[in-house]
Amino acid sequence: MFSAKIVTRASVAGGIAAAALLLLAGPASAHVGVQPVGEAAKGGYATINFKVPNERDDASTVKVEVNFPTDHPLASVMAEPIAGWKIDIAKSKLSKPLELHGSTITEAVSKVTWTAAGGKIGPGQFQQFPLSVGQLPEDADQLVFKALQTYDDKEVVRWIEEPKEGAAEPESPAPVLKLSAATEDEHGAAATETTATSDDAKHDAAKTTTASADSSDTTARVLGIAGIVVGIGGVAFGVLAGRRRTA
């Protein structure tokens, strides 16, 4: 009897502890994050999604601000339209101009803001905010974006703490975009090789077509001449046959 009571109490205590852990872990895991759609390779361009969950039971998210890194500025940022949201892309002057595709870039995107214009992120919901960005840096393994999430009750949650390698996740971590190693395709080498191969193939095909056409033309001429010779022979044979009958 005594042993059974102890087991029952231990089970209840364990269940309460597990439930408490789940309650505590829930809000901590539901933070603003960023993920690439496909792959975000160094030196290339990528489409990324900022995922914004609503952590409140009695308020809705009506504004999201994402600040771009200044140590690795991005010159090209395009936002996908989202129904019910107004998008504002702010730029700032660069202390050191960038060279991009043969052009000198003197300013880069510093912040993108989505403001509710009929839309919202209600309790128990999340929203994804897509961006096309580039050119991604070649000398970094990740990009850190600091974000601010505003609710309709005026509360502002600041997702600005940069995660440290080997340390526990901060309470309000900033979204981090991991960059993958660049491939030949990202720098155009493989594409150039493919184009060259394609051009060679086209050239060879053109040669084959020309040779085939020349061969066909030669054959046609031979057959034509042979036909003429046969025709002349037939006419001569007819004339001779007629003379023999007359004689």
Side-chain angles (χ1 to χ4, degrees), residues 33-222:
V34 60
Q35 290 292 331
V37 179
E39 188 175 26
K42 298 178 182 179
Y45 290 76
T47 298
I48 60 178
N49 273 333
F50 286 91
K51 183 178 179 180
V52 182
N54 191 329
E55 295 186 310
R56 302 293 178 262
D57 295 329
D58 55 356
S60 297
T61 297
V62 293
K63 187 177 182 181
V64 177
E65 301 169 72
V66 175
N67 293 278
F68 280 62
T70 56
D71 53 344
H72 295 291
L74 300 178
S76 175
V77 176
M78 294 184 291
E80 181 178 322
I82 301 176
W85 294 83
K86 176 186 174 183
I87 305 170
D88 180 66
I89 299 178
K91 295 184 176 182
S92 60
K93 292 289 183 179
L94 295 174
S95 57
K96 183 180 179 181
L98 295 173
E99 293 296 328
L100 186 64
H101 301 310
S103 302
T104 301
I105 307 300
T106 58
E107 61 179 15
V109 172
S110 56
K111 182 169 66 173
V112 177
T113 304
W114 291 269
T115 305
K120 64 179 180 179
I121 309 174
Q125 299 177 343
F126 74 91
Q127 175 72 54
Q128 295 197 72
F129 298 93
L131 292 176
S132 174
V133 300
Q135 184 174 356
L136 298 174
E138 297 181 357
D139 57 348
D141 295 323
Q142 64 181 30
L143 293 177
V144 179
F145 300 86
K146 296 183 178 181
L148 277 65
Q149 181 178 9
T150 303
Y151 288 88
D152 56 9
D153 61 359
K154 308 304 181 183
E155 178 189 8
V156 178
V157 180
R158 302 169 64 85
W159 304 101
I160 60 173
E161 298 179 63
E162 185 173 347
K164 302 295 183 182
E165 186 175 355
E169 184 180 69
E171 184 177 351
S172 300
V176 177
L177 177 66
K178 300 292 184 181
L179 303 180
S180 60
T183 61
E184 288 185 349
D185 288 341
E186 297 299 332
H187 296 286
T192 302
E193 292 174 3
T194 302
T195 302
T197 303
S198 177
D199 290 342
D200 290 341
K202 290 179 181 178
H203 185 60
D204 292 341
K207 284 184 177 179
T208 302
T209 302
T210 302
S212 178
D214 291 342
S215 177
S216 299
D217 186 55
T218 301
T219 302
R221 288 179 182 178
V222 171

